Amino acid sequence: MSASVSASRVGVWLIGARGSVATTVVAGCAAVTAGLHPPTGLVTETPAFADSRLPALEGLVFGGHDTLDCPLPKRAEALAAGGVLPHGLPAAVGAELTAADHEIRPGGPLPGDTRTDDELIAVFAADIRDFARRRGLDRAVVVNVASTEPAATGTALPASSLYAAAALRAGCPYVNFTPSTGLHHPALASLAASSGLPHAGRDGKTGQTLLRSALGPMFAQRALAVRAWSGTNLLGGGDGASLADPAAAAAKNAGKERVLADTLGTVPEGEVHIDDVPVLGDWKTAWDHVAFDGFLGARMILQTTWQGCDSALAAPLVLDLVRLVARAHERGLSGPLAELGFFFKDPVGEGSSALGEQYAALTAFAGRLRDGRTR
Amino acid sequence: MSASVSASRVGVWLIGARGSVATTVVAGCAAVTAGLHPPTGLVTETPAFADSRLPALEGLVFGGHDTLDCPLPKRAEALAAGGVLPHGLPAAVGAELTAADHEIRPGGPLPGDTRTDDELIAVFAADIRDFARRRGLDRAVVVNVASTEPAATGTALPASSLYAAAALRAGCPYVNFTPSTGLHHPALASLAASSGLPHAGRDGKTGQTLLRSALGPMFAQRALAVRAWSGTNLLGGGDGASLADPAAAAAKNAGKERVLADTLGTVPEGEVHIDDVPVLGDWKTAWDHVAFDGFLGARMILQTTWQGCDSALAAPLVLDLVRLVARAHERGLSGPLAELGFFFKDPVGEGSSALGEQYAALTAFAGRLRDGRTR
Amino acid sequence: MSASVSASRVGVWLIGARGSVATTVVAGCAAVTAGLHPPTGLVTETPAFADSRLPALEGLVFGGHDTLDCPLPKRAEALAAGGVLPHGLPAAVGAELTAADHEIRPGGPLPGDTRTDDELIAVFAADIRDFARRRGLDRAVVVNVASTEPAATGTALPASSLYAAAALRAGCPYVNFTPSTGLHHPALASLAASSGLPHAGRDGKTGQTLLRSALGPMFAQRALAVRAWSGTNLLGGGDGASLADPAAAAAKNAGKERVLADTLGTVPEGEVHIDDVPVLGDWKTAWDHVAFDGFLGARMILQTTWQGCDSALAAPLVLDLVRLVARAHERGLSGPLAELGFFFKDPVGEGSSALGEQYAALTAFAGRLRDGRTR
Amino acid sequence: MSASVSASRVGVWLIGARGSVATTVVAGCAAVTAGLHPPTGLVTETPAFADSRLPALEGLVFGGHDTLDCPLPKRAEALAAGGVLPHGLPAAVGAELTAADHEIRPGGPLPGDTRTDDELIAVFAADIRDFARRRGLDRAVVVNVASTEPAATGTALPASSLYAAAALRAGCPYVNFTPSTGLHHPALASLAASSGLPHAGRDGKTGQTLLRSALGPMFAQRALAVRAWSGTNLLGGGDGASLADPAAAAAKNAGKERVLADTLGTVPEGEVHIDDVPVLGDWKTAWDHVAFDGFLGARMILQTTWQGCDSALAAPLVLDLVRLVARAHERGLSGPLAELGFFFKDPVGEGSSALGEQYAALTAFAGRLRDGRTR
């Protein structure tokens, strides 16, 4: 471990702890720590973060909530069969998967559950506090990586907000890696503000929107007039099925549109489709078609096709966020961490939607983390 | 004309003045000035440059050298037939095309020309000086938009360098919008240094490389490992034919590779092809295939297809460069203008190859141009 | 005119006579007849049809119904401005456009029209008969090229069926180039059967489905297992707007799915989207993504991107169909012409959905048309 | 085994027996025979061939020549690591791989080998005869699946022709699955003609050319004018390296061009590139760009991107060819089998290059194989 990495023990409490992303987070952290794979995709392992005193990957301890009960080692084998994890990896990191599996507690509410919101929050918060105490953690970060919920309607707290409230009650920083409501619920606003805890979100930027946030600024900087930006996403896995629900897709697409509106300064024509194609499993294909005008109205077209593995794109960012948010907590920062907009489709706080500017803000933040007291 | 735009009369002396780019520059400047088209594609018409006291488009006066003798109005009609210029535009700006046509002088050397390099330089410089004097210009900027030359071999001055030397001799700033040698010849180095003139180049970044400079940083910032970046360009027109010459293509590809090497920090596998496909005319299609690794070695692919009109992409940038370089000259700046790297595949001076950082450098430069004395 | 072409005068009665396709049909027939353009896209001008005694293009006379009243010459100018027709063509064939314009009668019913179905059919049939009589035609073919209607619900006759009934009543062969109901209405079944008239349809195969009918058989013949076939269509123009209506799109998509089911022998996963992107005008982009398995389950992908001009693809097929159906009528053929399945997404009668087999059936039909008495 | 499948024991003698294709042939035949995988990609397992009395897959016995000495089980593990074979398959069919490995004899000539052509042919023929005798085979088919040779220059026999001559001398039918010379050498012409043996070739049609032979006819049948057809292939593996040699690529590209010339009736503009991209391994990406004109000269574009695993595409076709050629031999057929053009880029004998017509010829051939005496 390099001198500038903090030796603090940090808990990673994953909402949706048995899902593809969570399983890849746990297996991947173990694989990189063991030297089985280079830290490809881990932004916080690049030189810009070398002196930020982030918690070491070796010191991360995993647990979480889930409503499913498939054991993590079995889930990892399924991911390896689908090409998401390398063959042989589940066996190689079996001990770490099993250890995390022991720290997963029942999520909720499932249909028929009669507990009140407050009872659920209390149970979830107790689970998290118990985890931190038993494992002797300096702090724990709660990260939502569960399937996308339908956009919230009415005033009832959706499950993602119950977990977010539990994080606050347990004194933990919170990261919403999904487009679900989480801390964005009006009923949680004052609680979040008074908690003194940092939080980040929402909706990890892993594919089509990542590209859009890199390409949108190019058109704007070159004064090219984007007329229509259309997109289709094909994906299987749980995400494909849940986003085939128009209500869930609506939440996701709001973030996608924000990137174009912000970087182009206008909302072009064009729709975004999310199709559930089970045979593709965790592999996502995103096709974008951009019709733009150049000088004297010349009609031009850019098309992009992105073929990525969603879990492999998301997992290292989850680890990055945990390290950054844990260190921010250690430094006493609180409230929405707008400087982490680089990681999100629909970032909290004020900030640019252009990837380059987001990266500049992130590396400046890395510098701020460097200084100051540490325990 | 807005209060912050300079009323100075600036000459635009185009090497290759009868080519597609030059014709689009002249016709387009007239069309935008007349309000026939919005200034799409003109970076210097965006708010970031509003206070930089750039010369107004209305004050630009066009002339140049060419070895061909097709009249500009006729050339413009051919471009309109090919869809590069809007139908009706050549007629609407016929007067301006004719005016520029009268200021085009014979280029050279053609085969059989027995004049020495120095005699040619003297003739070219006299043409430029005569243009500036007769038209009462405050200054003139020489811009190379001629077809790409084969990479220089030996010590003889290629034609692009003769023109560049003539620009210096005539006291004019110089912009090399092509990958040809121009001022980059060792024989011109001390002359350029002692001239006190600003210059910029080289090789306008209009398509595939523009995209690469936007996308390369995305991979680097996300710590994704690019394994292979392959590309094929299909284009007709003069550029397609000249770049089908492997020697000319070599000059162009060096610039393309530099962008990847600089932004990725490594040179990935992969080749770049430039195919002459006459039926495509001025329309260029560039296909890129990027094979990259994510977390735990997951293999992913990004493909892009860019369908652009090269002249329509290049022409506004030429106008941008003339305005910026003219204003830099007015401000007394000299030597390589590294801050204009945003416009080039292979920029002079030191600077980032990442588009976002280049744009930040450009807008900072726009701020510097704002202040200070003007003649 | 070659010896084997029939000199008969044939009327072309277009439902939707002021639309893009109809305008392109009239202008294009005139342009090819005048030798201004080669007969690109006209299947019936290829050698396989040289001896089929088809009516000459020179002998076609145009008219039709429409509810709009934009004059054809003006409509043609708009198409030229959008790049669908060559610049200059509307002027060059102005006389023919005006002549056809004079033969366009008001369509219906518009909102508020109180005429009964039978009254409307009677008016439409009278219009057609009047056209044939006044212009001294040997026969007239009625072709539906109007915007796609929502899928019929209930028993009321949709407009397309009123026109189809009028064609029968006027003794004219009928071609349905759209997915609208037309003759497919149960209320018209016995009438169609007893009419002794040939008919063809439905839904011209001009882009994505054309490709699918060429590629589907490739997968089947090679025993490759298609797992998912997904598609997105982007188009503006009237078609984009009408197909953005889910009910209208449903009719169209039924035809698309039939091609896959028939050629693959199974219905793969995957959806088809039709997006209205007004800025694209008559230009359609269709992206297809085919996930298929090879030997030992190897996962492979084919993607296609088709950028076509819908009217330019449809118009020559309309002329082909008129000639073939007119000749079939002359030969005394009646009922559904399954041999014309080559032209349609959802062909009438029995026949293959594989393009190669459809072409073989078409050329065999061309042979049958060759023989026998002609008036 | 179904009643209509022949129980004859047929040898498969593979030139390049330790390569990717050969290894996939051996492993795949065992996997399908054992019921581990369905016969995806095996044309001869479709109903059209059910009554053709083809030799059963269970009766195929494998051997061959190679200059390398990597054992087949090890080679299979490497293919599984690269995703070409399913994980676990090499172990599951280890016995069959080892059995084939024992039947591989040293190929040649390697540098320094002083044997004459005739001596080499004699050794190779003896190896094949010995194999057939020891294993009690009814017949053996020799198949060239070795890396592509440079196009033959001069009169010396290239290695592929030495093996082809050996096949004739051993009395075996011969299949050339590569673009190498094989039996196409003038020195072998009379020998081949007098041998009484059937042969087939050359250059298996597995990707870009397969697509072209399906799409070329579509353009021709629709009378669309293809102006330019450009292509780029990216592939690693041995094939990528050998085809990066321009001489080897020239042989391959000749076959590709033939398909366009034959199906379009004209040779469009456009080049074909084959790039060695080692990181892609056995996975090949082929991008095609087709610029075509429609009615009235409308400019349209089709692009295709094919991402396939070359060995998985080739291997089942090798098995198909062995079965068909063995049965043809049994039926007493001799000379070039033009009816197998469906499988090849550059087929022997006369025949269509259109995939649909080739398939019709193939299924007609399947019918002919059905009848007649069998030994």
Side-chain angles (χ1 to χ4, degrees):
Chain A
M1 192 184 307
S2 80
S4 64
V5 174
S6 158
S8 64
R9 282 172 62 81
V10 170
V12 184
W13 191 263
L14 300 159
I15 311 303
R18 301 192 187 283
S20 300
V21 173
T23 307
T24 307
V25 165
V26 174
C29 184
V32 171
T33 298
L36 301 176
H37 284 274
T40 308
L42 271 163
V43 177
T44 50
E45 288 289 308
T46 59
F49 300 84
D51 299 322
S52 299
R53 304 189 64 84
L54 303 179
L57 293 173
E58 288 86 346
L60 301 183
V61 180
F62 298 91
H65 282 118
D66 206 315
T67 55
L68 305 176
D69 54 11
C70 174
L72 278 192
K74 193 173 163 193
R75 192 77 184 78
E77 287 294 349
L79 290 174
V84 178
L85 295 181
H87 279 276
L89 186 66
V93 299
E96 289 87 344
L97 289 165
T98 299
D101 194 70
H102 288 160
E103 296 291 0
I104 302 180
R105 299 291 171 267
L110 289 172
D113 195 328
T114 57
R115 292 174 289 181
T116 65
D117 283 359
D118 197 67
E119 287 168 344
L120 285 161
I121 294 170
V123 168
F124 296 156
D127 288 339
I128 300 170
R129 274 200 221 95
D130 177 59
F131 167 67
R133 187 181 44 73
R134 281 188 297 99
R135 303 298 298 267
L137 304 178
D138 293 304
R139 77 200 75 250
V141 179
V142 174
V143 189
N144 182 13
V145 290
S147 289
T148 301
E149 297 176 331
T153 58
T155 55
L157 282 182
S160 65
S161 297
L162 298 176
Y163 290 116
L168 298 182
R169 194 172 294 185
C172 294
Y174 174 79
V175 177
N176 190 354
F177 203 77
T178 80
S180 300
T181 305
L183 269 189
H184 270 55
H185 199 281
L188 301 183
S190 68
L191 195 61
S194 64
S195 70
L197 293 164
H199 61 90
R202 55 181 184 169
D203 204 2
K205 187 160 68 177
T206 56
Q208 188 179 52
T209 308
L210 173 64
L211 259 181
R212 290 179 166 201
S213 69
L215 292 173
M218 177 188 79
F219 290 107
Q221 291 161 359
R222 281 293 175 97
L224 299 167
V226 172
R227 298 298 184 203
W229 198 313
S230 308
T232 296
N233 294 275
L234 313 178
L235 70 165
D239 220 24
S242 72
L243 292 170
D245 170 4
K252 188 149 210 121
N253 288 341
K256 288 176 182 283
E257 278 176 23
R258 176 177 163 186
V259 169
L260 293 188
D262 284 2
T263 60
L264 300 177
T266 174
V267 178
E269 293 178 4
E271 300 174 38
V272 171
H273 303 287
I274 304 180
D275 290 7
D276 183 27
V277 184
V279 71
L280 296 181
D282 230 52
W283 290 83
K284 184 164 99 176
T285 296
W287 173 70
D288 264 26
H289 178 280
V290 188
F292 64 100
D293 283 1
F295 199 45
L296 308 176
R299 298 291 180 91
M300 313 195 200
I301 305 280
L302 171 66
Q303 293 176 74
T304 61
T305 310
W306 171 272
Q307 296 170 304
C309 175
D310 246 27
S311 299
L313 288 159
L317 304 183
V318 168
L319 293 169
D320 287 329
L321 284 162
V322 164
R323 299 175 85 186
L324 290 162
V325 172
R327 172 66 179 146
H329 186 230
E330 185 182 37
R331 287 291 315 278
L333 303 179
S334 66
L337 297 176
E339 299 91 338
L340 303 184
F342 176 74
F343 296 99
F344 295 109
K345 288 195 191 72
D346 188 17
V348 297
E350 297 295 311
S352 172
S353 287
L355 190 68
E357 295 178 23
Q358 292 177 327
Y359 184 70
L362 177 65
T363 53
F365 185 65
R368 288 174 54 205
L369 294 181
R370 197 176 305 157
D371 314 315
R373 77 184 162 77
T374 58
R375 275 174 252 173
Chain B
M1 192 184 305
S2 81
S4 64
V5 174
S6 160
S8 63
R9 283 173 61 80
V10 170
V12 184
W13 190 263
L14 299 159
I15 312 302
R18 299 192 188 284
S20 301
V21 173
T23 306
T24 307
V25 165
V26 174
C29 184
V32 171
T33 299
L36 301 176
H37 284 274
T40 309
L42 271 163
V43 177
T44 50
E45 288 290 307
T46 59
F49 299 83
D51 300 321
S52 299
R53 305 188 62 85
L54 303 180
L57 293 173
E58 289 85 346
L60 301 184
V61 180
F62 297 92
H65 282 118
D66 206 317
T67 53
L68 304 176
D69 53 11
C70 173
L72 276 193
K74 192 172 164 194
R75 192 78 183 78
E77 287 294 350
L79 289 175
V84 178
L85 295 181
H87 280 276
L89 186 66
V93 299
E96 290 87 344
L97 288 165
T98 299
D101 194 69
H102 288 160
E103 296 292 1
I104 302 180
R105 299 292 171 267
L110 291 172
D113 195 328
T114 58
R115 291 176 288 182
T116 64
D117 282 0
D118 197 68
E119 286 167 345
L120 286 161
I121 295 170
V123 168
F124 295 157
D127 289 338
I128 301 170
R129 274 201 219 96
D130 177 59
F131 167 68
R133 186 182 44 74
R134 280 187 298 99
R135 303 298 297 269
L137 305 176
D138 293 304
R139 76 200 78 249
V141 179
V142 175
V143 189
N144 182 14
V145 288
S147 289
T148 301
E149 298 175 330
T153 56
T155 56
L157 282 182
S160 66
S161 296
L162 298 177
Y163 290 116
L168 298 183
R169 195 173 294 185
C172 294
Y174 174 80
V175 176
N176 190 355
F177 204 76
T178 79
S180 300
T181 305
L183 268 190
H184 269 54
H185 199 281
L188 301 183
S190 68
L191 195 61
S194 64
S195 69
L197 294 164
H199 62 91
R202 52 183 186 167
D203 204 1
K205 186 160 68 176
T206 56
Q208 188 180 52
T209 308
L210 174 64
L211 260 181
R212 289 179 167 200
S213 68
L215 293 172
M218 177 188 79
F219 289 106
Q221 291 161 0
R222 281 293 174 98
L224 299 167
V226 172
R227 296 299 184 201
W229 198 312
S230 309
T232 296
N233 294 275
L234 312 178
L235 71 164
D239 220 25
S242 71
L243 292 170
D245 170 4
K252 189 147 209 125
N253 287 342
K256 287 176 183 284
E257 278 176 21
R258 177 177 161 185
V259 169
L260 294 187
D262 284 3
T263 60
L264 300 176
T266 172
V267 178
E269 293 178 6
E271 299 175 39
V272 171
H273 303 287
I274 303 180
D275 290 6
D276 182 28
V277 184
V279 72
L280 296 181
D282 231 52
W283 290 82
K284 184 163 100 176
T285 297
W287 173 70
D288 264 26
H289 178 280
V290 189
F292 63 100
D293 283 2
F295 199 44
L296 308 177
R299 297 290 179 90
M300 312 193 199
I301 305 281
L302 171 66
Q303 293 176 73
T304 62
T305 309
W306 171 272
Q307 296 170 304
C309 175
D310 246 27
S311 299
L313 288 160
L317 304 184
V318 168
L319 292 168
D320 286 329
L321 284 162
V322 164
R323 300 175 85 187
L324 291 162
V325 171
R327 173 63 178 146
H329 186 228
E330 186 181 37
R331 286 291 315 278
L333 301 180
S334 66
L337 297 175
E339 297 91 340
L340 303 184
F342 175 74
F343 296 98
F344 296 108
K345 289 195 191 73
D346 188 19
V348 297
E350 296 295 312
S352 172
S353 288
L355 190 69
E357 296 179 21
Q358 291 177 328
Y359 184 70
L362 176 65
T363 53
F365 185 65
R368 288 174 54 205
L369 293 181
R370 196 175 305 157
D371 314 314
R373 74 185 163 77
T374 59
R375 277 172 250 173
Chain C
M1 192 184 306
S2 80
S4 63
V5 175
S6 159
S8 64
R9 282 174 63 81
V10 170
V12 184
W13 190 263
L14 299 159
I15 311 303
R18 300 192 189 283
S20 300
V21 173
T23 307
T24 307
V25 164
V26 175
C29 184
V32 171
T33 299
L36 301 177
H37 284 274
T40 309
L42 272 163
V43 176
T44 51
E45 288 289 308
T46 59
F49 300 83
D51 300 322
S52 299
R53 305 189 64 83
L54 303 179
L57 293 173
E58 289 86 345
L60 301 184
V61 180
F62 297 92
H65 283 117
D66 206 315
T67 54
L68 305 175
D69 53 12
C70 173
L72 277 193
K74 193 173 163 194
R75 192 79 183 76
E77 286 295 350
L79 290 175
V84 179
L85 294 181
H87 279 277
L89 186 66
V93 300
E96 289 88 343
L97 288 165
T98 299
D101 194 69
H102 289 160
E103 296 291 1
I104 302 180
R105 298 292 172 268
L110 289 171
D113 194 328
T114 58
R115 291 174 289 181
T116 64
D117 284 359
D118 197 68
E119 286 167 346
L120 285 161
I121 295 171
V123 168
F124 296 155
D127 289 338
I128 300 170
R129 275 201 218 94
D130 176 59
F131 168 66
R133 187 183 43 75
R134 279 189 298 98
R135 303 299 297 268
L137 306 177
D138 294 304
R139 76 200 75 252
V141 179
V142 175
V143 188
N144 182 14
V145 289
S147 288
T148 301
E149 299 176 328
T153 57
T155 56
L157 281 184
S160 65
S161 296
L162 298 176
Y163 290 116
L168 298 183
R169 195 173 294 184
C172 294
Y174 175 79
V175 176
N176 190 354
F177 203 76
T178 80
S180 301
T181 306
L183 268 189
H184 270 55
H185 199 280
L188 302 183
S190 69
L191 195 61
S194 64
S195 70
L197 293 164
H199 61 90
R202 45 178 193 171
D203 204 2
K205 186 161 68 176
T206 56
Q208 187 179 53
T209 309
L210 174 64
L211 259 182
R212 290 179 166 200
S213 69
L215 292 173
M218 177 188 78
F219 290 106
Q221 291 160 1
R222 280 293 175 99
L224 299 166
V226 173
R227 296 299 184 201
W229 197 313
S230 308
T232 296
N233 293 275
L234 312 178
L235 71 165
D239 220 23
S242 71
L243 292 170
D245 170 4
K252 189 148 209 122
N253 288 341
K256 287 177 183 283
E257 278 176 20
R258 178 178 161 185
V259 169
L260 294 188
D262 284 2
T263 60
L264 300 177
T266 174
V267 177
E269 293 177 6
E271 300 175 38
V272 171
H273 304 287
I274 303 180
D275 289 8
D276 183 28
V277 184
V279 72
L280 296 181
D282 231 52
W283 290 84
K284 184 164 100 176
T285 296
W287 173 70
D288 264 27
H289 178 279
V290 189
F292 64 99
D293 283 1
F295 198 45
L296 308 177
R299 295 292 178 89
M300 312 194 199
I301 305 281
L302 172 65
Q303 293 176 74
T304 62
T305 310
W306 170 272
Q307 296 170 304
C309 175
D310 246 27
S311 299
L313 288 160
L317 303 184
V318 169
L319 292 168
D320 287 329
L321 284 162
V322 165
R323 300 174 86 187
L324 290 162
V325 171
R327 173 65 179 147
H329 186 230
E330 186 181 37
R331 286 292 315 279
L333 302 180
S334 66
L337 297 175
E339 298 90 340
L340 303 184
F342 176 75
F343 295 98
F344 296 109
K345 288 194 191 72
D346 188 18
V348 298
E350 297 294 312
S352 172
S353 288
L355 190 69
E357 295 178 22
Q358 291 177 327
Y359 185 70
L362 177 65
T363 52
F365 185 64
R368 287 173 54 204
L369 294 180
R370 196 176 304 157
D371 314 314
R373 74 183 163 77
T374 59
R375 278 173 250 171
Chain D
M1 191 185 307
S2 80
S4 65
V5 174
S6 160
S8 63
R9 283 172 61 80
V10 169
V12 184
W13 190 263
L14 299 159
I15 312 302
R18 300 192 188 283
S20 299
V21 174
T23 307
T24 307
V25 165
V26 174
C29 184
V32 171
T33 298
L36 301 177
H37 284 274
T40 309
L42 271 163
V43 177
T44 51
E45 287 289 307
T46 59
F49 300 84
D51 300 321
S52 298
R53 304 188 65 84
L54 303 180
L57 292 173
E58 289 85 346
L60 301 184
V61 180
F62 297 91
H65 283 117
D66 206 317
T67 54
L68 305 175
D69 53 13
C70 173
L72 277 193
K74 192 173 163 194
R75 192 79 183 75
E77 287 295 350
L79 289 174
V84 179
L85 294 181
H87 280 276
L89 186 65
V93 299
E96 290 87 344
L97 288 166
T98 299
D101 194 70
H102 288 160
E103 296 291 1
I104 302 179
R105 298 291 171 268
L110 290 172
D113 194 329
T114 57
R115 290 174 290 181
T116 65
D117 283 0
D118 197 67
E119 285 167 346
L120 285 161
I121 295 171
V123 168
F124 296 156
D127 288 339
I128 301 169
R129 273 200 221 96
D130 176 59
F131 168 67
R133 188 180 43 72
R134 280 188 298 98
R135 303 297 298 267
L137 306 176
D138 292 305
R139 77 200 78 251
V141 178
V142 174
V143 188
N144 182 13
V145 290
S147 289
T148 301
E149 297 175 330
T153 57
T155 55
L157 281 183
S160 66
S161 295
L162 298 177
Y163 290 117
L168 298 183
R169 195 174 292 184
C172 294
Y174 174 80
V175 176
N176 190 355
F177 204 76
T178 80
S180 301
T181 305
L183 269 189
H184 270 55
H185 199 281
L188 301 183
S190 69
L191 195 61
S194 64
S195 70
L197 293 164
H199 61 92
R202 55 182 184 169
D203 205 2
K205 186 160 68 178
T206 56
Q208 188 180 52
T209 308
L210 173 65
L211 260 182
R212 290 179 166 201
S213 69
L215 293 172
M218 177 188 78
F219 290 106
Q221 290 161 2
R222 280 293 174 98
L224 299 166
V226 173
R227 296 299 183 201
W229 198 313
S230 307
T232 296
N233 294 274
L234 312 178
L235 71 164
D239 221 23
S242 71
L243 292 170
D245 169 4
K252 189 148 209 122
N253 288 343
K256 287 177 183 285
E257 279 177 20
R258 177 177 162 185
V259 168
L260 294 187
D262 283 3
T263 60
L264 300 176
T266 173
V267 177
E269 293 177 5
E271 300 175 38
V272 172
H273 303 287
I274 303 180
D275 290 7
D276 182 28
V277 184
V279 71
L280 296 181
D282 231 52
W283 290 83
K284 184 164 101 176
T285 297
W287 174 69
D288 264 25
H289 178 280
V290 189
F292 64 100
D293 284 1
F295 199 43
L296 309 176
R299 297 291 179 92
M300 312 194 199
I301 305 281
L302 171 67
Q303 294 176 73
T304 62
T305 310
W306 171 272
Q307 296 170 303
C309 175
D310 246 27
S311 298
L313 288 160
L317 304 183
V318 168
L319 292 169
D320 287 329
L321 284 162
V322 164
R323 299 174 85 187
L324 290 162
V325 171
R327 173 66 179 145
H329 185 230
E330 185 181 38
R331 286 291 316 278
L333 302 180
S334 66
L337 297 176
E339 297 91 340
L340 302 184
F342 176 75
F343 295 99
F344 296 108
K345 288 194 191 74
D346 188 18
V348 297
E350 297 295 312
S352 172
S353 288
L355 190 69
E357 295 179 23
Q358 291 177 327
Y359 185 69
L362 176 65
T363 52
F365 185 65
R368 288 174 53 204
L369 293 181
R370 196 176 304 156
D371 315 312
R373 76 187 161 76
T374 58
R375 278 173 249 173

